[in-house]
Amino acid sequence: MMFYYHPSYSALALPERHRFPIDKYRLLKQLVSNFIDEQYFITPQQATKAQLTLCHNPVYVDAFLAGSLDSKAIKKMGFPWSTELVERTLYSVGASIQGAEFALQQGAAFNLSGGYHHAFTGYGSGFCIFNDLAIAAAHLIDTEQADTVLIFDCDVHQGDGTAEVTQVHPQIISCSIHCQQNFPRIKQQSNYDFALEHGTTDAEYLETVKQALALTTRLHQPDIILYNAGADIATDDELGHFQVSLEGVYQRDYFVLNQAKKAKIPVFAAMGGGYQRNVSRLVDVHGQLFRAAVDLF
């Protein structure tokens, strides 16, 4: 089990009152370091352009890397463009690619970033620039390390970008469990969509996760599960709309990791979304994934 982290994850200057809680990555690393020894952390390498274009239009990739996106594309992306944003993005995507490779060989790995499921083939959206889990899946298939990859997305928002990107990758199975009344307004069609209602609580949510994971793993026998462990399902999340307790978040993460372990399916997990202005409380929600990991591996 290894954990991928780079200081650039939080090294991004954003406008005052910007909605994205950029400090959460640095604070999560501090939290996780309290119970995970430093030897289990890996500094990732940057993703390459060739890896990015496995899932993204080369014109879009070039425009982002060069800083030549138009203002409409930058607004949709959600972040002001900067060289720091490019660096952060490449390290985040690189960590998911390398972490997925490690998990495939050793059983489990985790990125203290990632889960950028709103990134489409030709544009970024909703704080997501390149779709790291789709890219990691495509890389594993392209390099013949895997035949079938399951992206199991438990972020509260539908993985609309993942659904669109993976339409041309039949060996990547997309499964999204999300709030029907939440962003994005226009949903895409994943291989499997489980849309739950505003105000969903622990019992219904956890039962849906259990059924969805059992169904998709039984039908597709994936070589690896790429798990988007969004923290925005939690009760206090300001962009969430679910009423899942902190214990419910832990139970979800423990269940997904434990089922993968019991079935001997490698699992790689990325953080996904989480939006609370009380960042220490938000970090505690994200921390449930890593507490579950320590309890299991």
Side-chain angles (χ1 to χ4, degrees):
M1 179 174 65
M2 285 293 177
F3 301 84
Y4 290 76
Y5 173 78
H6 194 275
S8 66
Y9 290 175
S10 281
L12 186 61
L14 295 175
E16 188 176 354
R17 299 192 64 78
H18 191 278
R19 194 64 198 79
F20 194 83
I22 196 68
D23 282 341
K24 72 178 183 180
Y25 303 97
R26 175 179 58 81
L27 296 173
L28 181 64
K29 171 61 164 60
Q30 291 178 5
L31 173 69
V32 174
S33 293
N34 289 331
F35 53 90
I36 295 171
D37 192 270
E38 197 65 30
Q39 66 178 319
Y40 295 106
F41 286 93
I42 292 179
T43 300
Q45 298 176 331
Q46 292 188 355
T48 66
K49 181 182 173 182
Q51 290 169 333
L52 300 176
T53 55
L54 289 171
C55 289
H56 294 284
N57 186 309
V59 175
Y60 166 55
V61 172
D62 285 340
F64 173 74
L65 296 178
S68 59
L69 292 171
D70 62 33
S71 58
K72 182 179 178 182
I74 291 173
K75 182 178 180 180
K76 190 171 185 65
M77 187 170 70
F79 291 125
W81 186 90
S82 65
T83 56
E84 290 78 16
L85 179 63
V86 173
E87 179 182 47
R88 175 185 184 274
T89 300
L90 295 179
Y91 278 121
S92 293
V93 177
S96 290
I97 296 169
Q98 294 143 42
E101 287 187 314
F102 181 92
L104 197 61
Q105 299 300 320
Q106 302 295 329
F110 302 82
N111 185 4
L112 273 70
S113 180
Y116 299 124
H117 62 166
H118 298 310
F120 282 68
T121 303
Y123 60 90
S125 174
F127 309 133
C128 303
I129 297 156
F130 298 129
N131 198 310
D132 61 306
L133 295 186
I135 294 168
H139 171 77
L140 293 179
I141 292 164
D142 185 63
T143 54
E144 299 183 345
Q145 296 180 68
D147 291 321
T148 303
V149 178
L150 171 61
I151 298 179
F152 193 69
D153 190 338
C154 291
D155 190 282
V156 80
H157 306 103
Q158 193 212 26
D160 56 339
T162 302
E164 184 264 349
V165 166
T166 59
Q167 285 177 359
V168 296
H169 296 272
Q171 293 164 271
I172 304 174
I173 310 303
S174 59
C175 177
S176 179
I177 304 170
H178 54 268
C179 179
Q180 177 63 31
Q181 292 83 10
N182 212 323
F183 178 89
R185 183 176 60 83
I186 299 173
K187 305 294 193 286
Q188 301 295 315
Q189 186 172 345
S190 310
N191 293 111
Y192 300 89
D193 283 299
F194 296 84
L196 298 173
E197 294 300 307
H198 188 292
T200 291
T201 55
D202 289 26
E204 181 184 2
Y205 181 78
L206 292 169
E207 183 60 28
T208 303
V209 170
K210 291 174 182 178
Q211 292 185 13
L213 188 59
L215 175 70
T216 51
T217 53
R218 184 175 71 248
L219 290 181
H220 298 283
Q221 299 291 306
D223 297 304
I224 187 172
I225 297 168
L226 305 185
Y227 173 40
N228 186 353
D232 44 15
I233 65 165
T235 298
D236 295 323
D237 198 89
E238 292 149 23
L239 300 183
H241 304 335
F242 280 170
Q243 296 292 317
V244 177
S245 68
L246 190 65
E247 175 62 22
V249 175
Y250 174 84
Q251 288 182 25
R252 178 201 65 178
D253 293 339
Y254 185 94
F255 175 80
V256 173
L257 298 180
N258 190 41
Q259 287 301 110
K261 182 181 179 182
K262 289 199 298 186
K264 294 183 170 56
I265 303 172
V267 60
F268 168 77
M271 278 175 50
Y275 305 93
Q276 297 185 42
R277 296 195 189 277
N278 185 331
V279 181
S280 63
R281 191 165 60 188
L282 171 59
V283 167
D284 198 23
V285 182
H286 278 298
Q288 301 310 304
L289 171 67
F290 302 96
R291 291 192 168 96
V294 169
D295 290 345
L296 281 166
F297 295 101

